[in-house]
Amino acid sequence: MSLLFLGLGGGEIVVIALAVLLFFGGKKIPELMNGLGKGVKSFKDGMAGKTVEPEEEKETKE
């Protein structure tokens, strides 16, 4: 398996994953992935023309 657009193979992906694990630690990675997922969803919604209020603004209105 290789990511053609980045030119990365399986070995390089494993090395990158280990570096991220060492740098951030095991407890911080789920938080990072959650933030990344929210960012991707927000980007997709923006490209589709949807307007979504951020969660912080929803909480202050209630």
Side-chain angles (χ1 to χ4, degrees):
M1 178 180 101
S2 68
L3 298 172
L4 296 176
F5 63 96
L6 294 176
L8 297 176
E12 289 89 359
I13 293 173
V14 170
V15 170
I16 292 170
L18 287 173
V20 168
L21 181 62
L22 289 172
F23 187 71
F24 291 109
K27 294 181 180 180
K28 191 73 173 171
I29 291 175
E31 295 174 23
L32 293 170
M33 294 299 111
N34 188 16
L36 180 64
K38 286 181 181 180
V40 169
K41 183 180 183 309
S42 175
F43 178 76
K44 285 183 180 179
D45 288 345
M47 292 299 290
K50 296 178 184 177
T51 56
V52 179
E53 293 182 14
E55 292 181 21
E56 293 138 9
E57 290 181 15
K58 288 180 183 178
E59 293 173 0
T60 57
K61 289 183 180 179
E62 293 175 354

